[in-house]
Amino acid sequence: MAAAFDTTSLQDTLQLPFPAATKQVAGLVNGIQTDVTTMNFSDKIMVTISQAGRLAHWLHVPMENLNPGTEGMHTFSEGDDSLLPLQSLTTTTILGGYSAGQDTTGQLLARQIATAIATKTPNENRLLVVGLGLGKETPDRDAFFAIVDLVLQCL
């Protein structure tokens, strides 16, 4: 006959932080209430940017750096392009992205967010998931930077 299974040893391995660390910030972008939320899971970072309470476009950016010689750390250039998103980051739309302008803006926003995370934590290797629910119009330069500023407040 088999011995009873001792569950007390499982208690030590299941001590995960719950709930996931969450931050929220809200602000006006072109006069529209914009809500930004970040959630840090053990294997993913989720950022949502919502206007009018909707999320219509989902993207992901693998943060893992597989370049040889970098030991998993993201490397940054010192030149004029140091403020541009990292070229090594690849953004993929997983849901939504209904128009060419919206899809391009969403991918640029996701790469800019991933670059900000990599700048803050160069050895970050979790998957970044970005949910967007922006208005129908493609954001202009000022709106784009206002959205990035809200996200930076959450990171």
Side-chain angles (χ1 to χ4, degrees):
M1 182 176 214
F5 183 71
D6 182 20
T7 59
T8 57
S9 64
L10 293 177
Q11 305 253 337
D12 296 334
T13 59
L14 296 178
Q15 293 182 7
L16 299 175
F18 182 81
T22 304
K23 282 179 133 180
Q24 291 181 307
V25 69
L28 292 177
V29 175
N30 283 349
I32 301 170
Q33 174 75 20
T34 305
D35 300 304
V36 176
T37 304
T38 60
M39 296 181 78
N40 290 295
F41 298 96
S42 62
D43 62 340
K44 291 176 183 58
I45 301 169
M46 184 173 78
V47 177
T48 60
I49 304 166
S50 175
Q51 293 178 333
R54 65 181 208 200
L55 291 171
H57 186 191
W58 288 89
L59 307 106
H60 73 83
V61 184
M63 297 288 295
E64 190 173 34
N65 186 2
L66 301 176
N67 292 331
T70 61
E71 298 175 0
M73 303 279 280
H74 293 280
T75 55
F76 303 95
S77 65
E78 297 288 329
D80 292 336
D81 62 348
S82 61
L83 296 177
L84 295 174
L86 290 174
Q87 294 178 352
S88 61
L89 299 172
T90 305
T91 306
T92 305
T93 296
I94 50 179
L95 290 172
Y98 44 89
S99 69
Q102 291 273 338
D103 192 44
T104 303
T105 302
Q107 290 191 11
L108 182 58
L109 264 171
R111 279 185 61 204
Q112 193 71 48
I113 293 166
T115 300
I117 292 169
T119 302
K120 185 176 179 182
T121 313
N123 61 343
E124 182 62 67
N125 63 1
R126 293 179 285 175
L127 179 71
L128 171 65
V129 178
V130 178
L132 298 172
L134 302 177
K136 302 267 186 222
E137 300 160 11
T138 303
D140 61 5
R141 180 180 180 201
D142 293 335
F144 181 86
F145 287 122
I147 292 167
V148 170
D149 184 50
L150 286 173
V151 172
L152 291 176
Q153 293 176 37
C154 265
L155 295 179

